[in-house]
Amino acid sequence: STRVLSANECAVLPDGDVYQEFLLEGLASRHYTDGNDTYAVEVFQMQFHSSAYGLFTFNRNKLAENRSEFISGRYLASLSSEKTNSVPQDLIQALKDHLVSSEGELPPLPSHLPQENKCANSEIYLVGPAALARLDGFSDLQHVVNFSGRTEIAFAKYRNGNSDFGLIIVEYHTPQLASDGYAQFQNYFGSLPEQVKSQRLLKRIGNYIVLTTYVQDLATAENVISQIKYNPGVYWEGKK
């Protein structure tokens, strides 16, 4: 049988607070078997296509070897096997055929992450403090970023010699929010130990606040940041 959970019921699950930030509407789960293995299928119904995309990026680098996920419109499908580390492609395709959903627009902010030296599939799109609190290198910012004005964040990792550094673009949607946000970042940045500050760069670009962490080669990080261009959006009636 199919098990269905409402958004409120999902709030108590692990990462339930993250699901709420990405506007989860409900979760349906069911098990299938081919006689040799059993497969768990979960379908997260999100409010928007961008919400499903955000949850997909949040999950993808933390998935166990036996789990596979994909998005279809505003649905995120998560499949796992009980005995092996692979899910049959015919089951994945059947689920894709079943999840008929109109395609929406992806959030534009992740596309503004520079491509040079970027680690493949490292992009994460998030819209709230719960997801930010789980972001390696940036969890301390969960109380610094003001999300009340529909603030968005795009994250990626970049190659930096023998290591990687993390970069986030925080987009505020008005110049005033960006000014206030930048002031909060500057105050927080100034309170950090010198060793921590030496691995971080902070810059404002239009309504974007850009911050890096774990930087070993400052010149490489500064070159990446120089490629970020602010493209203002037009908003009306609370929508983009």
Side-chain angles (χ1 to χ4, degrees):
S1 60
T2 301
R3 183 187 182 195
V4 179
L5 298 177
S6 67
N8 289 335
E9 291 170 323
C10 291
V12 299
L13 298 175
D15 290 334
D17 52 350
V18 176
Y19 300 156
Q20 288 184 316
E21 287 182 351
F22 284 122
L23 304 177
L24 175 72
E25 294 186 332
L27 168 62
S29 61
R30 194 171 189 177
H31 287 81
Y32 296 82
T33 182
D34 58 7
N36 297 314
D37 202 349
T38 299
Y39 309 98
V41 175
E42 296 175 307
V43 177
F44 297 81
Q45 180 175 310
M46 317 303 291
Q47 189 170 348
F48 301 112
H49 183 47
S50 60
S51 306
Y53 169 78
L55 185 56
F56 172 78
T57 63
F58 176 80
N59 287 343
R60 65 177 163 188
N61 290 317
K62 303 185 298 179
L63 295 178
E65 292 184 1
N66 69 331
R67 184 171 292 275
S68 176
E69 293 189 347
F70 67 88
I71 54 175
S72 176
R74 62 192 184 102
Y75 297 106
L76 168 69
S78 183
L79 305 90
S80 63
S81 61
E82 186 176 282
K83 297 179 180 180
T84 65
N85 288 334
S86 63
V87 177
Q89 286 301 312
D90 57 348
L91 178 58
I92 294 175
Q93 188 58 51
L95 188 57
K96 287 181 177 180
D97 294 340
H98 181 71
L99 293 176
V100 179
S101 175
S102 59
E103 294 295 322
E105 293 185 359
L106 291 176
L109 184 60
S111 67
H112 296 169
L113 290 163
Q115 295 301 308
E116 184 177 344
N117 294 324
K118 184 166 63 65
C119 299
N121 297 322
S122 65
E123 304 92 338
I124 299 176
Y125 171 72
L126 55 95
V127 292
L132 183 57
R134 293 163 171 81
L135 191 61
D136 181 38
F138 298 96
S139 60
D140 56 323
L141 301 178
Q142 60 178 303
H143 301 301
V144 179
V145 180
N146 178 10
F147 286 95
S148 62
R150 296 186 298 108
T151 301
E152 304 169 77
I153 294 179
F155 160 88
K157 285 185 177 181
Y158 291 83
R159 293 181 293 277
N160 192 201
N162 295 325
S163 62
D164 301 329
F165 72 86
L167 179 147
I168 61 171
I169 301 175
V170 183
E171 182 179 11
Y172 296 95
H173 292 304
T174 69
Q176 185 59 53
L177 286 174
S179 296
D180 293 344
Y182 188 50
Q184 288 179 299
F185 271 99
Q186 287 179 309
N187 290 336
Y188 179 73
F189 194 81
S191 70
L192 295 174
E194 289 301 322
Q195 182 178 2
V196 176
K197 284 194 287 187
S198 68
Q199 296 181 337
R200 288 188 164 183
L201 294 172
L202 175 65
K203 187 173 183 180
R204 178 178 176 181
I205 304 172
N207 286 355
Y208 293 163
I209 309 300
V210 180
L211 185 69
T212 63
T213 191
Y214 300 142
V215 172
Q216 301 298 322
D217 182 353
L218 290 177
T220 298
E222 288 172 346
N223 178 61
V224 170
I225 292 175
S226 70
Q227 300 172 45
I228 298 174
K229 308 300 180 185
Y230 172 66
N231 293 324
V234 177
Y235 298 82
W236 66 95
E237 297 182 354
K239 297 181 180 180
K240 188 170 182 179

